[in-house]
Amino acid sequence: MEKRWWKESVVYQIYPRSFCDSNGDGIGDLNGITGKLDYLKELGIDVIWLSPVYKSPNDDNGYDISDYQAIMDEFGTMEDFDRMLATAHEKGIKIMMDLVVNHTSDEHKWFIESRKSTDNPYRDYYIWRPAKEDGSLPNNWGSCFSGPAWEYDKTTDMYFLHLFSKKQPDLNWDNPAVRQDVFDMMNWWLKKGVDGFRMDVISLISKEPGLPDKETGINGYATFNVSANGPHVHEYLQEMRQKALNNADTITVGECSGVTLEEAKKYARSDEKELNMVFQFEHMDVDSDEKAGKWTTRKMDLRNLKKILTRWQKGLQDIAWNSLYWENHDQPRSVSRFGNDNPAYRETSAKMLATCLHMMQGTPYVYQGEELGMTNAYFTELKDYRDIESIQYFHEYTEAGIYTPEYMMKCLMLRGRDNARTPMQWDDSANAGFTTGTPWIKVNSNYPKVNAKQEISDPDSVFSYYKKLIRLRHENEIIVYGDYKLLAPEDEALFIYTRMLGTQRLMVLCNFTEKEVSIPAEVTEQIPADAKLLIGNYSKQKEEMLQAYEARVYAYHLKILEKKKHPRLV
Ligand code: GLC
Ligand code: CA
């Protein structure tokens, strides 16, 4: 397998709005990030993925961009950005920008032009269609944020497509001028010295010709995945690689909703013609409902999670490259979702989840606060929610009688994106040290207990554990490049796998339950008596049992192969 720096890196995602506020307006900003780079250096990460910082009317917190080459007023200035970039580079930290080019804001100058007339030079930058002959919408596609994916515009008596909010019109990637403008913009950022891009919903950019009707979901619209992996997506990404990405030594990851394993091999193939890696979503759907998608209170079955992750681990091995994540700004907190955020188990289960993920093959991503074991906020009132997705779906599902308000609120508490967007918990002072003003979204009330200041100084904290995991990855090739193999696939409580590199072995043991569970004999047999405990989340182990949410990683060498070195056997 080719060695690459981006395979050996650990990426940390910053959601700037919620990271650190330097001027007391209640909104995180670039100077806030610059001030916390030493914290990230201490954690040991290599790359920052910065959620969008471009000019935006903030309908979707910066994922609706009105100027790709300017900074959002609330986040600071281009000088602030340059200072942040230079300071990060001085500390050896790379910066990966969020590239949101499936759509722009409706306040982007291209769209302002586009909507003016059918013969405007920018008309074909977006996807315009008339109503069907019977006056109905151009097709049955739905917006990812509820309702239809079409918005009527009276100036030209036509509809424009928006797979997200109606303030996020989709760009028409079939237009070569759109592609060229995007590549020029990317080159402008590369010239500035940024190190790569995380590509927002990049799997959706190529729409199926004719925009046909598709099967509908619970709200009567076809899901936004209707245009995933369209006919030209690979062609467009190859063009992007040649015309922009190859101009620098970049790290790239595509957010690929609706991507299958077979598709992922094309996006992230090791011949490096498209992207370095993808974010796949299958493991994020492990607790979804077939019809209602994420809006459910279902719990996952560990056997399914193991099956999915194993399929991706093995499927991409030697062919493409994986990315590893439990969290990001679109997902609830992993300790609340896959672990246990009861104070008795919060730290142990957060460390267990971290072990399970960081010992796999792929580039790991840590989302801000995950390294502290931050939990869901569980807001119980709609007025505390800020996310357009949660608010719009709450209205749609309850008004159409699909769910009762009580049940829908439960879904928001478990799955809403705001769970990940509450302010970073820096210390136990007012507002968790995030701001001296009024935060734009409420702080999680557990901050007096769960915060960076306390965890940095505690060698047994979740933070210290992450630090160790990151260091181990930097020091042990097997963690980056070793082959993966699942053991005991049918075990309902334990996730056990090995990594293999030459004669080296790692045995990773994780208990996903609060019960004490015995380790299967087929596993204990493989661990030699002199195996070294590389990391673990309990100070005392029991020989044949894993305690509640226990995780252990053993390192050893394969005995059989060592024997071969014996002169008589050569
Ligand atoms: C991606 C982003 C999400 C955003 C959406 C539309 O899924 O991660 O936050 O709402 O794209 O840009
Ligand atoms: Ca601010």
Side-chain angles (χ1 to χ4, degrees):
M1 199 183 308
E2 295 282 344
K3 293 193 176 159
R4 288 286 181 270
W5 64 264
W6 42 265
K7 294 181 181 172
E8 297 167 9
S9 296
V10 176
V11 184
Y12 186 90
Q13 183 192 353
I14 291 183
Y15 194 67
R17 203 172 190 77
S18 305
F19 193 62
C20 182
D21 173 22
S22 70
N23 63 353
D25 66 353
I27 296 171
D29 46 51
L30 291 169
N31 289 340
I33 296 171
T34 309
K36 294 294 185 187
L37 289 171
D38 281 334
Y39 168 81
L40 299 179
K41 190 72 204 157
E42 169 79 15
L43 181 58
I45 56 98
D46 308 279
V47 181
I48 292 171
W49 150 25
L50 202 58
S51 274
V53 295
Y54 317 94
K55 202 172 227 29
S56 163
N58 279 309
D59 193 47
D60 184 21
N61 288 353
Y63 283 90
D64 48 319
I65 297 166
S66 54
D67 186 344
Y68 289 106
Q69 279 155 252
I71 297 294
M72 190 191 298
D73 294 334
E74 293 165 326
F75 289 176
T77 63
M78 196 55 86
E79 287 68 48
D80 297 336
F81 179 89
D82 292 341
R83 197 169 339 109
M84 183 209 64
L85 182 65
T87 315
H89 282 168
E90 272 163 31
K91 296 182 192 295
I93 296 175
K94 295 183 191 299
I95 302 281
M96 193 178 183
M97 301 296 281
D98 212 315
L99 185 78
V100 188
V101 289
N102 172 70
H103 43 266
T104 68
S105 162
D106 64 342
E107 298 180 32
H108 193 286
K109 61 176 191 259
W110 299 338
F111 191 75
I112 294 172
E113 286 301 314
S114 186
R115 76 194 318 174
K116 282 184 180 163
S117 66
T118 53
D119 58 4
N120 186 284
Y122 286 93
R123 186 64 173 182
D124 281 341
Y125 269 52
Y126 296 87
I127 301 171
W128 293 95
R129 292 288 183 279
K132 279 189 183 155
E133 258 168 37
D134 63 1
S136 61
L137 296 172
N139 71 16
N140 68 359
W141 295 6
S143 151
C144 182
F145 296 151
S146 86
W150 295 98
E151 181 70 7
Y152 180 70
D153 198 53
K154 63 176 185 311
T155 314
T156 55
D157 185 30
M158 278 206 204
Y159 291 84
F160 64 85
L161 180 73
H162 61 89
L163 294 179
F164 295 87
S165 102
K166 60 181 184 218
K167 284 185 69 60
Q168 291 167 300
D170 280 54
L171 282 165
N172 174 18
W173 272 74
D174 295 333
N175 180 350
V178 167
R179 303 203 295 276
Q180 195 54 53
D181 275 350
V182 169
F183 303 153
D184 288 349
M185 175 272 283
M186 292 171 72
N187 279 319
W188 186 86
W189 281 102
L190 288 174
K191 232 174 153 182
K192 223 182 213 312
V194 307
D195 302 285
F197 299 97
R198 172 267 184 187
M199 303 186 187
D200 194 65
V201 290
I202 203 71
S203 52
L204 307 184
I205 58 174
S206 169
K207 273 68 179 177
E208 198 177 321
L211 311 180
D213 280 342
K214 292 278 164 99
E215 196 192 326
T216 56
I218 206 166
N219 67 352
Y221 297 107
T223 73
F224 67 103
N225 273 341
V226 286
S227 67
N229 314 309
H232 300 292
V233 67
H234 298 292
E235 181 189 320
Y236 297 158
L237 286 175
Q238 284 166 27
E239 188 184 348
M240 178 193 281
R241 178 97 197 194
Q242 285 158 19
K243 295 192 175 159
L245 298 172
N246 278 347
N247 294 332
D249 182 15
T250 48
I251 173 170
T252 51
V253 55
E255 188 205 18
C256 290
S257 53
V259 76
T260 59
L261 182 62
E262 287 315 306
E263 277 295 324
K265 291 179 190 169
K266 300 184 200 159
Y267 286 105
R269 190 178 285 282
S270 313
D271 62 7
E272 299 184 37
K273 292 210 158 49
E274 296 184 27
L275 306 176
N276 295 151
M277 55 195 137
V278 300
F279 289 133
Q280 56 93 7
F281 277 75
E282 278 188 43
H283 68 305
M284 289 289 118
D285 287 334
V286 66
D287 49 9
S288 294
D289 180 85
E290 258 172 43
K291 272 270 170 189
K294 70 193 261 182
W295 302 120
T296 166
T297 57
R298 252 184 64 179
K299 282 252 164 202
M300 67 136 176
D301 179 335
L302 181 67
R303 288 168 303 181
N304 284 339
L305 182 73
K306 293 198 286 189
K307 207 193 268 166
I308 293 168
L309 291 177
T310 300
R311 220 159 52 74
W312 282 85
Q313 286 288 302
K314 296 185 73 79
L316 296 188
Q317 166 80 41
D318 294 327
I319 295 173
W321 191 248
N322 230 321
S323 52
L324 307 169
Y325 73 97
W326 289 132
E327 288 188 21
N328 59 45
H329 65 293
D330 293 330
Q331 301 295 336
R333 290 294 183 176
S334 58
V335 67
S336 302
R337 184 181 188 183
F338 303 124
N340 189 330
D341 60 13
N342 179 316
Y345 298 119
R346 183 188 65 83
E347 290 176 85
T348 315
S349 68
K351 293 173 191 172
M352 182 278 290
L353 287 170
T355 314
C356 185
L357 194 80
H358 283 249
M359 287 295 143
M360 287 190 189
Q361 190 188 80
T363 300
Y365 287 72
V366 180
Y367 176 68
Q368 66 184 43
E370 186 179 357
E371 78 281 16
L372 304 175
M374 276 179 64
T375 68
N376 277 359
Y378 298 121
F379 295 144
T380 55
E381 291 181 74
L382 197 60
K383 69 168 178 39
D384 290 330
Y385 286 84
R386 296 287 176 272
D387 176 21
I388 180 171
E389 182 193 51
S390 292
I391 296 168
Q392 290 196 172
Y393 270 113
F394 185 90
H395 287 298
E396 181 176 72
Y397 274 41
T398 57
E399 282 157 23
I402 297 170
Y403 285 167
T404 63
E406 293 70 31
Y407 185 73
M408 190 62 194
M409 185 51 70
K410 275 196 191 137
C411 294
L412 258 48
M413 289 164 69
L414 292 174
R415 300 292 155 78
R417 305 195 295 183
D418 281 338
N419 284 304
R421 298 177 180 185
T422 59
M424 179 74 177
Q425 293 164 207
W426 293 108
D427 57 39
D428 60 4
S429 69
N431 294 316
F434 162 73
T435 181
T436 54
T438 308
W440 70 278
I441 185 170
K442 270 168 73 177
V443 176
N444 189 319
S445 58
N446 63 12
Y447 74 87
K449 288 249 154 55
V450 183
N451 64 67
K453 188 172 173 211
Q454 178 270 318
E455 293 201 23
I456 291 168
S457 55
D458 173 3
D460 286 328
S461 67
V462 180
F463 178 88
S464 298
Y465 195 89
Y466 265 88
K467 218 170 116 173
K468 184 164 181 194
L469 279 174
I470 295 169
R471 181 169 53 74
L472 285 173
R473 176 168 279 262
H474 289 148
E475 290 170 354
N476 295 275
E477 277 206 335
I478 185 172
I479 301 178
V480 179
Y481 295 110
D483 284 8
Y484 166 101
K485 187 175 172 217
L486 182 72
L487 298 173
E490 291 309 319
D491 196 298
E492 292 173 31
L494 306 182
F495 196 151
I496 304 174
Y497 60 87
T498 55
R499 301 289 307 280
M500 301 162 276
L501 189 72
T503 63
Q504 289 180 61
R505 293 291 179 272
L506 292 180
M507 180 68 79
V508 183
L509 304 151
C510 298
N511 181 359
F512 272 69
T513 71
E514 55 182 89
K515 290 196 219 82
E516 213 173 82
V517 183
S518 57
I519 305 170
E522 55 159 313
V523 174
T524 42
E525 276 164 12
Q526 294 188 34
I527 309 171
D530 61 352
K532 180 179 158 218
L533 183 67
L534 204 58
I535 189 167
N537 62 354
Y538 272 77
S539 54
K540 277 211 179 82
Q541 286 78 31
K542 297 189 177 175
E543 207 167 320
E544 277 154 18
M545 294 286 218
L546 285 182
Q547 300 160 81
Y549 298 106
E550 183 170 0
R552 285 183 218 171
V553 181
Y554 289 106
Y556 50 94
H557 279 270
L558 205 59
K559 288 285 150 53
I560 315 260
L561 291 180
E562 275 176 11
K563 263 193 209 151
K564 273 196 187 154
K565 284 187 212 132
H566 196 280
R568 265 182 307 151
L569 296 174
V570 174

